[in-house]
C-alpha cells in the first residue's frame, strides 16, 4: 500500500518530483512552504489538496505517511527529527541539514526509529549509468585495483536572472556548488567504491557575487566553483572539479574510474569502459526517455532520471506490504541513509576548512553531540578567571 | 640567411622536427646522441650528413649556427651554456634542465649573450587557437576581468609497451606528466595572461610503475597524474588536471578561461567563446592540415602544429638578415625565453614540494646561484662542532 505524501518546500525539485510521484501511484496530500502565499500558489499549480505554512499541520495529518523534506537546509533536522518521532517516513534533501550537528541529530533520530524509512535524496545512486558502473567494479571489470577517480562537472550558473536572494545564495545557509553538487560527488564515490575519504584538500570560490537581480546590499556568498581532492581509506585518489561559474553552459558530467589496466567512465548518462589495452567500449547507453512529463527544469537531466528511478524504488518498497506504511528494505537498500548524510557533511566541512587553511584536512565524523553545556561553563569559567 | 642546424637527441620530437625544419628551408648538418649507434641510426634514417656521440663535435662545427637541445634534461644546461659561449643560437626542450639550478645557469648564459637566440621549446605558444585566445583576452572579449582558468589534459600513457627504461621513466631525471605536460600548462597560463603564479598546491602521483617491458629491478617513478592549483599574482585561480594514466586514450585538451560575464575555451586546436550570456560561438577552427609530412608520432597533433608554426617563426627571424646567423627579434618575440624556463622550473618544484608537504607552497624563483662553497663550509663547521 503506497503512503500519502507530505511535501516541504516549493523549489524546482518539488515541481519535478510531484508528477513523478503521481506517475508511480503516490498521492500528494499536503504541501508546506515558509510563506502561505508560496504554498497556496504551488498547491494550486500542482492540484495539491492541502497547503500550509505550519510544519505540524503537515506532520500530524493522518493521510500523510511519507515526508519529502526539500526546503532550506536550516529546517532539515528539525522537520526530519520531529517527523520520525510522529512515525512518518522521511526522504530529506542533500546535504542533510546545515552542518554535522544537524546531520548527527538526524542520524540519532533515524537509529531510534529503525522501522521507518530515513533516506537522503542522492538520485545519482539510482541513475542506471552509475548502478551499472558499480556492478562493473564489483564484477572486477577493471581487473586490477582502482587507482584514481577523476570527476568533472560543469553546469550553468546556479542562479537565473529572475532569482531573488534566498538560502541558495548563502554559503552558511547551505547554498552553492560544494553543497548542492559536491555533496552528490562525495556520496557517489562511496556508493561506487564502498570507500570513504580520510583526508581532503579543496579550493572553494565564489566568483559571481552579483546578478542582474541580486545586486543590492546582500551579495552571493555561495561558491560557484570548487576543486577538491580526497584520499580514500584504501589509498585511492579522487579529484573533482565542479564549475558552475561558466555562464550559460549546459550540464556536463564525466566520472572516470581508472586502474592500471583500464578504466570505466560515465559521460552524461552513458557508461563506457576499456580494459586489456583494447578500445573503449559502450557498456550502457541511456536511450530511455523520461516516462512521465516533467516541467522543463533547471535541474540536469541525469538528476531527474535518477529521481524517477528512486521514486520507482520507493514504490517497490511500499507496494508489496498490506499494512499502512509498511515496507520492505530490498528496493531501497542502496539508497543513501542518514549515516551517509553525516559522512557527506563531515567531508564538505573538511573541504571548506582546507580551503581556508590551505592544507589537507583529516575527515572527522562526529560521534557524539557536542556538549554545549560544557562549552558554556568553560567559557564562563574563563571569563571569571580573566575578571578576577 | 638560414643557419645550419645541429640536433641533440634522437627521440620522437627530433623525428617530427627534422622534416618540418627542411620544409622551412633549414639544413640539418649534424646529430648527437649519447650512444654512437643511436646517432648513426637516426642519421641514416633521416639522411643527416654527420653523427657523433661527442658534444663538442656538434657545437664546434662551422656549418652549425642553431642548436636544438632535445636530449635528456640532465644535459640541457651543460650543452646550452657551452653552445652560447661558442656563439650558437639555442632552442632547448622544456622544462629547461633538471631543476632551478640548471635553468638559472641557462638564464645567466642567455643574459651574457643577448645577440644570440635562446628559446625554450613551448610550441603551444605558437598554436593558432592559443594565439587567437591571447589576442581575444587582450582585445577584452571577456569584457570583465578573468576569474578562473580551468585546464584539463588527458593523454594515453607516456610509455609504450616497447619502451625500455630511460630518463622519461624517472621523476628526478625530468620524466613524467608534471615535467612533460605540466611545464607547457604553467608556461601557457603566463603566455595567455601575462601573469605568474605566486602560490601553488599539487598532487603528483605515479600509478603505473611497471609496463610489460619495464618490470625488472627499476620501476617507473615519473608521475602519470597530477592535479594542481595556482594562484596568480592578480588573484586569478588556475586549476589543472593532467591525466596520462588512462590506458590508450587519445590526447584531449580543454583550456577554459572564465570571467563573470563569459568564457573563452580551447578544445583541441579550436577556440570558442561566449559573452553577454549569448551562445558559445566559434572563434577559430583549426582546419589547416600539416603542411609537411611528419612521421606518425606519439606526440599530440596540436603540439606538432605548434612546432610547425614555431619553426616558421624561426625562419622569419633569420631569413631577412644577410649576415651569417644574424636575426630579427619580432617573429620570435612571443616565444618562451630562458627566463620563462626558470619560472616554470620554480613552479614545478613548488608543486612537487606541495605534493610532499600537503600544503600550499610559495613560488620562489632563484635570483642567485646557491653558494655551494658557503653551504660546504657551513656543513664542515657543523661537523667540527658536533665532533668537539
Amino acid at each position: 500500500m503506497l503512503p500519502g505524501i507530505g511535501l516541504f518546500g516549493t523549489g524546482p525539485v518539488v515541481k519535478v518530483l510531484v508528477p513523478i510521484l503521481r506517475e508511480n501511484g503516490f498521492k500528494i496530500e499536503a504541501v508546506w512552504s515558509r510563506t502561505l502565499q508560496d504554498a497556496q500558489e504551488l498547491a494550486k499549480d500542482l492540484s495539491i489538496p492541502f497547503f500550509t505554512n505550519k510544519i505540524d499541520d503537515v506532520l500530524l495529518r493522518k493521510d500523510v505517511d511519507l515526508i519529502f523534506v526539500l526546503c532550506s537546509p536550516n529546517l532539515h533536522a528539525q522537520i526530519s527529527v520531529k517527523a520520525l518521532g510522529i512515525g512518518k517516513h522521511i526522504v530529506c534533501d542533500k546535504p542533510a541539514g546545515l552542518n554535522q550537528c544537524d546531520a548527527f541529530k538526524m542520524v540519532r533520530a533515524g537509529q531510534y526509529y529503525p522501522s521507518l524509512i530515513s533516506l537522503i535524496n542522492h538520485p545519482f545512486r539510482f541513475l542506471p549509468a552509475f548502478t551499472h558502473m558499480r556492478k562493473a567494479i564489483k564484477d572486477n571489470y577493471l581487473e586490477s585495483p582502482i587507482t584514481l577517480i577523476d570527476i568533472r562537472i560543469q553546469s550553468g550558473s546556479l542562479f537565473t536572472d529572475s532569482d531573488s536572494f534566498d538560502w541558495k545564495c548563502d554559503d552558511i545557509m547551505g547554498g552553492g556548488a560544494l553543497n548542492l553538487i559536491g555533496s552528490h560527488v562525495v556520496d557517489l564515490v562511496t556508493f561506487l567504491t564502498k570507500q570513504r575519504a580520510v583526508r581532503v584538500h579543496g579550493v572553494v570560490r565564489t566568483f559571481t557575487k552579483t546578478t542582474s537581480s541580486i545586486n543590492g546590499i546582500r551579495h552571493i556568498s555561495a561558491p560557484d566553483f570548487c576543486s577538491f581532492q580526497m584520499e580514500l581509506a584504501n589509498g585511492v585518489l579522487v579529484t573533482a572539479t565542479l564549475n558552475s561559474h561558466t555562464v550559460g553552459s549546459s550540464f556536463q558530467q564525466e566520472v572516470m574510474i581508472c586502474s592500471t589496466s583500464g578504466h570505466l567512465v560515465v559521460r552524461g548518462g552513458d557508461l563506457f569502459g576499456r580494459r586489456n589495452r583494447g578500445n573503449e567500449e559502450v557498456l550502457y547507453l541511456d536511450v530511455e526517455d523520461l516516462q512521465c512529463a516533467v516541467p522543463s527544469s533547471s535541474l540536469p537531466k541525469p538528476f531527474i532520471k535518477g529521481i524517477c528511478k528512486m521514486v520507482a524504488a520507493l514504490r517497490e518498497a511500499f507496494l508489496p506490504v498490506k499494512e499502512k506504511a509498511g515496507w520492505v528494505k530490498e528496493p531501497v537498500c542502496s539508497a543513501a541513509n542518514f549515516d551517509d548524510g553525516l559522512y557527506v557533511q563531515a567531508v564538505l566541512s573538511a573541504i571548506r576548512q582546507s580551503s581556508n587553511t590551505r592544507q589537507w584536512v583529516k575527515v572527522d565524523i562526529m560521534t557524539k553531540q557536542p556538549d554545549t553545556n560544557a562549552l558554556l561553563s568553560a567559557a564562563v569559567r574563563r571569563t571569571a578567571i580573566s575578571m578576577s
Side-chain angles (χ1 to χ4, degrees), chain A residues 9 22 41 140 158 178 291 308 312 338 349:
Chain A
R22 286 188 174 139
E41 216 164 274
N140 202 24
L158 298 172
L178 182 61
Q291 276 158 16
C308 285
F338 282 7
S349 150

Side-chain angles (χ1 to χ4, degrees), chain A residues 130-177:
Chain A
F130 290 125
T131 56
H132 283 84
M133 186 181 230
R134 189 188 196 217
K135 188 168 181 312
I137 294 169
K138 207 179 146 205
D139 295 348
N140 202 24
Y141 176 89
L142 293 171
E143 292 169 331
S144 50
I146 295 170
T147 47
L148 169 74
I149 302 178
D150 186 3
I151 298 172
R152 183 186 185 77
I153 296 182
Q154 274 183 22
S155 70
S157 169
L158 298 172
F159 311 106
T160 66
D161 282 343
S162 62
D163 282 339
S164 54
F165 192 94
D166 69 2
W167 66 270
K168 286 193 205 69
C169 305
D170 193 289
D171 186 30
I172 305 299
M173 289 287 283

Side-chain angles (χ1 to χ4, degrees), chain A residues 31-304:
Chain A
V31 62
W32 171 97
S33 175
R34 206 170 46 83
T35 70
L36 203 58
Q37 193 190 334
D38 284 358
Q40 181 168 22
E41 216 164 274
L42 191 94
K44 198 180 149 204
D45 281 0
L46 300 176
S47 312
I48 297 170
F50 178 80
F51 62 87
T52 177
N53 64 349
K54 297 198 182 70
I55 291 173
D56 287 358
D57 286 359
V58 175
L59 296 186
L60 292 170
R61 283 184 73 92
K62 290 237 168 72
D63 54 7
V64 166
D65 279 300
L66 172 56
I67 304 280
F68 280 85
V69 185
L70 304 165
C71 54
S72 60
N74 60 318
L75 295 171
H76 286 181
Q78 180 191 339
I79 297 172
S80 301
V81 171
K82 196 162 192 182
L84 287 169
I86 297 170
K88 313 280 168 155
H89 302 288
I90 290 281
V91 177
C92 179
D93 212 8
K94 90 290 136 188
L98 286 178
N99 48 43
Q100 278 210 75
C101 279
D102 278 0
F104 187 77
K105 283 177 203 158
M106 292 168 62
V107 168
R108 290 279 279 267
Q111 287 167 341
Y112 208 77
Y113 304 101
S115 66
L116 295 169
I117 285 183
S118 53
L119 303 179
I120 305 293
N121 176 33
H122 280 305
F124 284 146
R125 287 189 176 225
F126 290 89
L127 190 68
F130 290 125
T131 56
H132 283 84
M133 186 181 230
R134 189 188 196 217
K135 188 168 181 312
I137 294 169
K138 207 179 146 205
D139 295 348
N140 202 24
Y141 176 89
L142 293 171
E143 292 169 331
S144 50
I146 295 170
T147 47
L148 169 74
I149 302 178
D150 186 3
I151 298 172
R152 183 186 185 77
I153 296 182
Q154 274 183 22
S155 70
S157 169
L158 298 172
F159 311 106
T160 66
D161 282 343
S162 62
D163 282 339
S164 54
F165 192 94
D166 69 2
W167 66 270
K168 286 193 205 69
C169 305
D170 193 289
D171 186 30
I172 305 299
M173 289 287 283
L178 182 61
N179 281 320
L180 301 180
I181 306 173
S183 57
H184 291 302
V185 170
V186 172
D187 179 71
L188 183 64
V189 167
T190 300
F191 171 69
L192 293 171
T193 66
K194 295 182 181 138
Q195 293 286 324
R196 287 181 165 186
V198 290
R199 218 180 268 112
V200 299
H201 169 268
V203 180
V204 182
R205 293 287 172 95
T206 308
F207 291 117
T208 303
K209 298 193 170 99
T210 57
T211 68
S212 60
S213 58
I214 306 168
N215 53 13
I217 298 165
R218 298 206 283 188
H219 285 187
I220 297 168
S221 66
D224 49 12
F225 175 84
C226 64
S227 165
F228 62 85
Q229 292 79 43
M230 310 197 289
E231 214 174 84
L232 304 187
N234 60 354
V236 167
L237 179 72
V238 180
T239 177
T241 306
L242 317 178
N243 191 350
S244 69
H245 173 48
T246 54
V247 181
S249 296
S250 58
F251 180 85
Q252 286 176 14
Q253 67 174 355
E254 185 177 285
V255 176
M256 184 178 253
I257 299 195
C258 303
S259 78
T260 49
S261 58
H263 67 247
L264 285 160
V265 55
V266 168
R267 298 193 187 96
D270 307 323
L271 174 65
F272 307 87
R274 183 199 301 264
R275 57 176 166 179
N276 267 334
R277 305 180 174 271
N279 287 324
E280 204 172 79
E281 56 180 338
V282 174
L283 298 181
Y284 175 83
L285 276 191
D286 189 5
V287 291
E288 204 180 331
D289 260 339
L290 289 175
Q291 276 158 16
C292 59
V294 298
S296 115
S297 173
S298 57
L299 298 175
K301 207 159 181 188
F303 190 85
I304 296 175

